[in-house]
């Protein structure tokens, strides 16, 4: 049959056909997760495959870090996510012929990721090399209500004659790593048989395997059991070895008859609990899933998502591609954090091994603000994880000769694992972004309990870090020098505007939390002199400005750097793979939004003219060699009135994985860009901003979008904002009887239940013409054919 197509549908991602060239990308796109357990969208039978993947949040192995020459303070050990025991695997034999879509004839094949049901459905009609025709159907879910559980309903039906059917349901540990895992030979070595067998048990309807990582010493248990439905007699056999367990079902079926196997899989891991306790935990999870039953698991999954979409859905009329993409992106953000509960959210979440499973600043910066407004409990759990690593961050700061806490640039468990100084340790802005996330949660939810539980301590310790990093010059201005901002093409520089503004905000937030929580401040040893020093630094922070050009240099002296020479037809992207960093560091070329991000997150520090002129200047120099850039450029283009350009950037952010625009979706999804797509729509075209304890909206739509509606949670209330080209309506979906005070454009309004507020749309008139971009970097809205666009882009 021909290669796959991906129809544009509002509530699902549907694959028709199978193409081995795009198989790895589809494995990532069809990944299912609940934040604790993640499974790549591999075919049930295990082959063909690009990258097998089953992951548990926080479960990792150590590997050596490479240094040509060591230095004081360099991290000594890396961490990489481990592909744990594979419980997805269900092999099928038809009259002793292995079911493999590379052989025989695939008459039809379809997989559907249902964004409302939270399931991956598959139906394949196949003719074996011997001529036997069968239909295989399966539905897979990773439960959002049973944290440790995944389940698969697998059916086989002969079509044109009786068939002997053999189903082999398996648990398999230490699968051979794929090519995607071994870009770094040190990582490949760590992932070569990373699990050492500890114990195995055959259960009544399945088995449990226990393993321990060889270096990090983490214990993992995986178990399976089965519910079998068959119209005739069948035989069942259970086998178990160190690294695998197998339950085999054999029967003979007539045409139209079905063998149905429901497989429940459960996982648990720990660094401290005994093997007996972990085995019993997994056995209990399997019993709970079996007691609930398949139908209940499916109903609970749908109910969970109905509740989520009821207060988080985004509707986009006039752009069906964007409608599908933004719901897919929001679904993936939910999957990344829903049940992480005390573990980090990785940059790829649990969809692949990209970045070795590490978490970065983009989680607090881009992902958590979306979760705060759509699934605040998940956001709070993620912030608790970050706070739990505070002792390690204090130790890291001490190693660097600094006060307070220095959170790691990249990590899984909390230790710094970045071996690259300029774009790792020197990127201290991450600490202010963490502080911002805690404040964003408090202001958006109205919940002060997290502030008292752990947020205040994080704010104080990050403020202390900034005071040891910054200094007042002889004229009294406060500077932060020798750092790297969000733009990794401009490294180890002085007075990065984004860093300085975020540091000043961090200092003010720390002062405010001490005012709110004097007992906590006292316990942390904060006195009046220290708070006064914070206030003085924040008030005197130096923000570079080039009066001659009328723009803010990204850092001190940036506008006097040499210009990058873009050659039409010759410039190759990403630049970091085709030019030495030495050249990048000394030129006015920007990897990702930096000064522009400062205007989004610290918008009150810039005038409308500043924003227009700064955007015009940096658009011409930003090459977007990071997936984190397009969403921010979309927001600021929309704010200054370049709505069509914003629309094009929004497409890029939303489709980075659906179209494989970075060429590496097979290694996992870009979760921050997925969150950024929501932000580009809601903050960009919706004009949503948080101003203290008040929600503000100022919608403006591009010509091709006829209607935008989004739902967010604010102080425990659900509000819907609906905008057309003529009017904007705010509706309170749930909340207290007093209603919700919010700002629509410049007017303060009170929205009550049953009393929507409608106002005319205010146009955004740009101060400058839409700016050009570097050669080959002009964004364009995607066409209707997802696969053809993806192939041309990659």
């Amino acid at each position: 049959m021909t290669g796959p197509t991906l129809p544009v549908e509002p509530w699902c991602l549907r694959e028709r056909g199978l193409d081995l060239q795009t198989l790895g990308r589809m494995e990532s796109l069809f990944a299912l997760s609940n934040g604790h357990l993640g499974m790549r969208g591999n075919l049930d039978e295990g082959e063909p495959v690009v990258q097998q993947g089953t992951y548990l949040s926080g479960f990792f192995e150590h590997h050596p870090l490479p240094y040509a020459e060591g230095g004081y303070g360099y991290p000594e050990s890396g961490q990489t996510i481990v592909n744990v025991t594979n419980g997805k695997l269900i092999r099928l034999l038809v009259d002793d012929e292995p079911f493999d879509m590379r052989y025989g004839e695939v008459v039809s094949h379809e997989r559907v990721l249902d964004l409302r049901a939270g399931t991956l459905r598959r139906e394949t009609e196949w003719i074996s090399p011997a001529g036997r025709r069968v239909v295989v159907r399966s539905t897979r879910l990773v439960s959002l209500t049973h944290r440790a559980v995944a389940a698969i309903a697998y059916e086989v039906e002969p079509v044109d004659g009786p068939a002997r059917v053999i189903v082999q349901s398996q648990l398999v540990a230490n699968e051979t790593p794929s090519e995607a895992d071994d870009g770094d030979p040190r990582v490949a070595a760590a992932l070569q048989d990373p699990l050492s067998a500890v114990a195995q048990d055959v259960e009544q309807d399945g088995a449990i395997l226990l393993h321990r990582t060889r270096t990090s010493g983490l214990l993992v248990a995986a178990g399976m059991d089965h519910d079998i439905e068959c119209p005739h007699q069948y035989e069942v056999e259970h086998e178990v070895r160190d690294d695998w367990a197998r339950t085999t079902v054999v029967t003979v079926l007539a045409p139209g008859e079905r063998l149905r196997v429901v497989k429940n899989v459960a996982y648990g891991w720990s660094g401290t609990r005994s093997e007996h306790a972990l085995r019993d935990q997994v056995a209990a999870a399997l019993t709970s899933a079996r007691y609930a039953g398949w139908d209940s698991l499916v109903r609970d999954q749908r109910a969970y998502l109905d509740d989520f979409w009821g207060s988080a859905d985004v509707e986009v009329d006039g752009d069906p591609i964007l409608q599908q993409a933004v719901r897919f992106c929001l679904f993936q953000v939910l999957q990344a954090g829903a049940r992480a509960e005390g573990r980090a959210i990785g940059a790829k979440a649990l969809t692949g091994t990209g970045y070795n499973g590490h978490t970065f600043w983009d989680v607090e910066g881009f992902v958590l603000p979306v979760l705060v407004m759509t699934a605040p409990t998940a956001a709070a759990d993620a912030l608790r994880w970050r706070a739990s690593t505070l002792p390690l961050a204090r130790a890291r700061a001490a190693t660097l000769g600094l006060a307070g806490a220095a959170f790691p640039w990249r990590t899984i468990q909390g230790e710094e694992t970045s071996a690259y100084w300029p774009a790792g340790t020197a990127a201290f802005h991450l600490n202010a972004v963490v502080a911002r996330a805690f404040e964003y949660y408090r202001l958006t939810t109205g919940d002060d309990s997290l502030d008292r539980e752990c947020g205040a301590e994080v704010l104080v310790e990050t403020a202390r870090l900034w005071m040891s990093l910054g200094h007042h010059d002889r004229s009294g201005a406060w500077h932060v020098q020798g750092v790297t901002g969000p733009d990794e093409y401009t490294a180890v520089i002085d007075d990065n505007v984004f860093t300085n503004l975020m540091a000043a905000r961090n200092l003010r937030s720390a002062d405010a939390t001490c005012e709110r929580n004097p007992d906590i401040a006292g316990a942390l040893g904060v006195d009046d002199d220290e708070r006064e020093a914070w206030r003085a630094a924040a008030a005197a922070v130096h923000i570079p400005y080039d009066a001659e050009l009328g723009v803010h240099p990204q850092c001190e002296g940036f506008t006097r750097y040499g210009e990058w020479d873009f050659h039409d037809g010759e410039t190759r992207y990403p630049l970091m793979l085709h030019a030495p960093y030495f050249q990048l560091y000394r030129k006015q070329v920007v990897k990702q939004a930096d000064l522009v991000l400062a205007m989004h997150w610290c918008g009150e520090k810039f005038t409308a003219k500043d924003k227009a002129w700064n955007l015009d200047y940096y658009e011409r120099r930003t090459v977007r060699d990071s997936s984190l850039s397009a969403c921010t450029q979309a927001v600021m283009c929309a704010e200054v009135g370049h709505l069509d350009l914003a629309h094009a950037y929004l497409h890029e952010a939303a489709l980075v994985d659906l179209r494989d625009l970075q060429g590496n979706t097979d290694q996992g999804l870009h979760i921050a860009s997925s969150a950024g797509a929501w932000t580009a729509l809601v903050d960009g075209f919706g004009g949503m901003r948080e101003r203290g304890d008040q929600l503000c909206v100022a919608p403006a739509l591009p010509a091709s979008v006829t209607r935008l509606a989004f739902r967010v949670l604010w102080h425990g209330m659900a509000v819907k904002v609906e905008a057309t080209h003529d009017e904007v309506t705010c509706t309170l979906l749930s909340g207290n009887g007093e209603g919700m005070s919010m700002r629509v454009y410049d007017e303060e309004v009170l929205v009550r239940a049953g009393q929507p507020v409608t106002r005319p749309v205010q146009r955004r008139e740009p101060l400058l013409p839409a700016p050009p971009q570097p050669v080959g970097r002009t964004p364009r809205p995607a066409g209707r054919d997802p696969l053809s666009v993806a192939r041309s882009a990659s």
Side-chain angles (χ1 to χ4, degrees):
M1 63 184 299
T2 60
T5 60
L6 300 176
V8 176
E9 301 179 53
W11 280 106
C12 70
L13 183 64
R14 185 185 306 270
E15 173 196 50
R16 291 184 177 133
L18 182 71
D19 183 353
L20 298 183
Q21 298 302 310
T22 62
L23 184 60
R25 174 162 68 100
M26 300 312 297
E27 289 172 356
S28 296
L29 293 177
F30 284 151
L32 293 176
S33 175
N34 61 14
H36 167 67
L37 164 64
M39 292 180 164
R40 280 175 64 82
N42 307 119
L43 294 169
D44 301 289
E45 298 78 26
E47 297 178 6
V49 65
V50 171
Q51 185 182 88
Q52 284 284 7
T54 303
Y55 313 107
L56 295 172
S57 181
F59 191 84
F60 72 97
E61 180 62 301
H62 290 296
H63 65 86
L65 285 175
Y67 297 105
E69 182 177 345
Y72 179 80
Y74 286 12
E76 297 179 356
S77 178
Q79 300 170 355
T80 189
I81 194 170
V82 173
N83 175 27
V84 299
T85 310
N86 183 2
K88 304 184 298 293
L89 192 57
I90 302 178
R91 299 197 190 278
L92 170 65
L93 294 92
V94 180
D95 289 344
D96 298 325
E97 291 271 9
F99 180 97
D100 189 321
M101 295 179 64
R102 294 168 295 188
Y103 307 105
E105 179 185 350
V106 178
V107 179
S108 64
H109 171 73
E110 179 175 278
R111 288 191 290 176
V112 179
L113 177 64
D114 190 321
L115 306 179
R116 287 182 290 192
T119 58
L120 176 62
R121 303 192 307 272
R122 176 265 190 103
E123 181 167 329
T124 302
E125 185 171 350
W126 178 75
I127 301 175
S128 73
R132 178 66 65 219
R133 183 187 295 251
V134 296
V135 174
V136 176
R137 303 178 184 89
S138 70
T139 302
R140 180 187 304 173
L141 65 83
V142 173
S143 178
L144 292 163
T145 56
H146 294 248
R147 182 173 183 253
V149 170
I152 305 167
Y154 191 87
E155 294 183 352
V156 186
E157 176 187 345
V159 174
D160 58 353
R164 184 173 65 258
V165 172
I166 303 172
V167 171
Q168 296 175 321
S169 175
Q170 300 187 29
L171 294 173
V172 179
N174 288 321
E175 295 171 303
T176 302
S178 68
E179 293 181 4
D181 293 327
D182 60 8
D184 183 337
R186 299 167 183 83
V187 175
L191 294 178
Q192 188 67 46
D193 296 334
L195 301 174
S196 177
V198 173
Q200 312 84 36
D201 287 309
V202 173
E203 300 290 316
Q204 181 177 355
D205 299 298
I208 294 178
L209 300 180
L210 283 89
H211 288 81
R212 192 182 301 276
T213 52
R214 299 182 187 277
T215 306
S216 61
L218 302 180
L219 187 67
V220 61
M224 65 177 179
D225 73 7
H226 305 85
D227 184 14
I228 302 167
E229 298 178 15
C230 184
H232 302 297
Q233 180 180 350
Y234 61 88
E235 293 293 328
V236 180
E237 181 181 83
H238 303 289
E239 300 174 86
V240 66
R241 300 290 187 275
D242 283 357
D243 281 350
W244 61 265
R246 182 169 61 211
T247 293
T248 303
V249 183
V250 59
T251 190
V252 175
L253 299 175
E257 295 180 335
R258 298 180 184 180
L259 169 65
R260 185 173 190 257
V261 178
V262 174
K263 179 179 186 178
N264 294 318
V265 189
Y267 293 86
W269 76 267
S270 177
T272 57
R273 303 186 70 200
S274 70
E275 61 186 73
H276 301 294
L278 201 61
R279 179 198 61 202
D280 292 348
Q281 175 186 331
V282 167
L286 288 172
T287 300
S288 176
R290 188 178 181 88
Y291 173 77
W294 170 257
D295 291 341
S296 179
L297 290 175
V298 171
R299 284 195 305 270
D300 290 349
Q301 191 87 335
R302 179 60 183 252
Y304 184 102
L305 286 164
D306 283 347
D307 183 63
F308 171 74
W309 291 116
S311 57
D313 190 23
V314 178
E315 301 169 69
V316 185
D317 292 352
D319 191 336
I321 291 176
L322 190 56
Q323 176 66 88
Q324 179 191 49
V326 71
R327 282 183 175 143
F328 172 80
C329 288
L330 191 50
F331 177 76
Q332 294 299 342
V333 170
L334 175 69
Q335 286 202 131
R339 302 300 304 274
E341 296 174 11
R343 303 294 178 189
I345 298 174
K348 299 290 187 181
L350 298 175
T351 66
T353 57
Y355 295 121
N356 292 340
H358 294 159
T359 188
F360 294 78
W361 73 289
D362 40 309
V363 171
E364 278 88 2
F366 294 84
V367 177
L368 290 197
V370 179
L371 287 175
V372 166
M373 289 225 157
T374 59
T377 300
D381 284 336
L383 291 170
R384 288 188 180 96
W385 169 79
R386 183 63 83 172
S388 74
T389 68
L390 195 55
L392 295 171
R394 285 194 184 102
R396 179 62 176 162
T399 297
L400 298 173
L402 299 169
F407 288 106
W409 180 245
R410 57 190 300 168
T411 190
I412 292 178
Q413 194 179 40
E415 298 93 345
E416 178 63 80
T417 63
S418 175
Y420 187 53
W421 179 274
T425 301
F428 285 101
H429 63 270
L430 129 79
N431 298 280
V433 173
V434 169
R436 169 185 178 258
F438 276 93
E439 278 293 89
Y440 193 89
Y441 174 86
R442 183 182 65 83
L443 292 169
T444 300
T445 64
D447 175 15
D448 289 333
S449 63
L450 192 67
D451 188 43
R452 290 194 56 80
E453 177 186 334
C454 57
E457 188 174 8
V458 169
L459 292 172
V460 166
E461 295 296 0
T462 48
R464 286 170 168 166
L465 176 78
W466 290 115
M467 293 306 293
S468 63
L469 274 170
H471 74 282
H472 291 274
D473 65 18
R474 60 179 177 270
S475 65
W478 190 72
H479 302 267
V480 181
Q481 297 174 314
V483 300
T484 300
D487 172 26
E488 295 168 6
Y489 286 174
T490 311
V492 194
I493 39 79
D494 298 337
D495 289 323
N496 172 254
V497 172
F498 176 86
T499 301
N500 283 15
L501 286 174
M502 293 294 291
R505 173 182 285 182
N506 194 162
L507 292 168
R508 289 191 295 268
S509 297
D511 180 52
T513 197
C514 289
E515 185 71 23
R516 290 190 304 272
N517 305 293
D519 55 330
I520 296 176
L524 294 172
V526 180
D527 57 25
D528 291 342
D529 290 342
E530 185 172 19
R531 290 179 59 190
E532 175 55 35
W534 294 345
R535 292 191 293 267
V541 66
H542 176 61
I543 304 301
Y545 184 74
D546 188 326
E548 181 181 356
L549 295 177
V551 300
H552 289 82
Q554 182 172 283
C555 60
E556 192 65 61
F558 181 82
T559 52
R560 298 185 183 277
Y561 289 8
E563 297 282 2
W564 188 267
D565 187 9
F566 293 101
H567 294 285
D568 192 6
E570 297 180 16
T571 301
R572 301 170 66 192
Y573 300 101
L575 293 181
M576 58 188 173
L577 298 183
H578 303 288
Y581 269 100
F582 166 73
Q583 293 292 353
L584 296 171
Y585 287 165
R586 56 197 290 269
K587 300 289 187 179
Q588 289 190 59
V589 60
V590 181
K591 179 181 180 182
Q592 65 194 75
D594 187 312
L595 191 283
V596 174
L597 182 62
M599 295 194 300
H600 178 200
W601 290 4
C602 305
E604 72 282 359
K605 299 300 181 181
F606 300 88
T607 67
K609 182 181 177 181
D610 287 338
K611 293 174 182 177
W613 282 77
N614 284 336
L615 184 76
D616 185 82
Y617 189 86
Y618 288 97
E619 274 293 296
R620 304 163 190 267
R621 294 161 176 81
T622 303
V623 295
R624 301 195 314 287
D625 283 347
S626 165
S627 64
L628 291 180
S629 195
C631 58
T632 299
Q633 290 173 267
V635 171
M636 292 312 301
C637 284
E639 181 170 339
V640 304
H642 303 316
L643 296 172
D644 290 336
L645 182 56
H647 189 209
Y649 278 131
L650 172 54
H651 267 246
E652 184 174 308
L655 296 168
V656 67
D657 289 314
L658 288 174
R659 308 296 173 85
D660 198 11
L661 299 182
Q662 296 280 322
N664 58 4
T665 296
D666 59 337
Q667 298 175 32
L669 302 180
H670 297 76
I671 298 301
S673 186
S674 293
W678 182 93
T679 303
L681 262 175
V682 173
D683 287 15
F685 296 146
M688 189 188 76
R689 298 291 187 274
E690 162 266 313
R691 295 287 182 260
D693 60 354
Q694 192 170 56
L695 181 67
C696 308
V697 295
L701 306 183
S704 55
V705 174
T706 58
R707 172 181 166 272
L708 169 67
F710 60 89
R711 305 170 186 216
V712 296
L713 295 170
W714 182 266
H715 285 228
M717 296 175 283
V719 61
K720 178 180 179 181
V721 178
E722 184 175 8
T724 66
H725 288 282
D726 299 318
E727 61 184 26
V728 53
T729 300
C730 300
T731 305
L732 193 62
L733 302 177
S734 67
N736 56 48
E738 297 177 358
M740 174 177 163
S741 175
M742 60 184 296
R743 187 169 292 274
V744 180
Y745 300 107
D746 295 324
E747 179 187 359
E748 187 169 339
V749 301
L750 181 64
V751 185
R752 297 180 184 274
Q755 301 177 24
V757 172
T758 299
R759 294 292 184 268
V761 163
Q762 296 181 14
R763 310 296 175 189
R764 296 183 193 172
E765 297 298 335
L767 297 179
L768 296 171
Q773 289 72 44
V775 168
R777 281 316 205 203
T778 301
R780 295 179 177 84
R784 289 299 301 266
D785 181 359
L787 197 62
S788 64
V789 172
R791 284 171 170 167
S792 64
S794 60

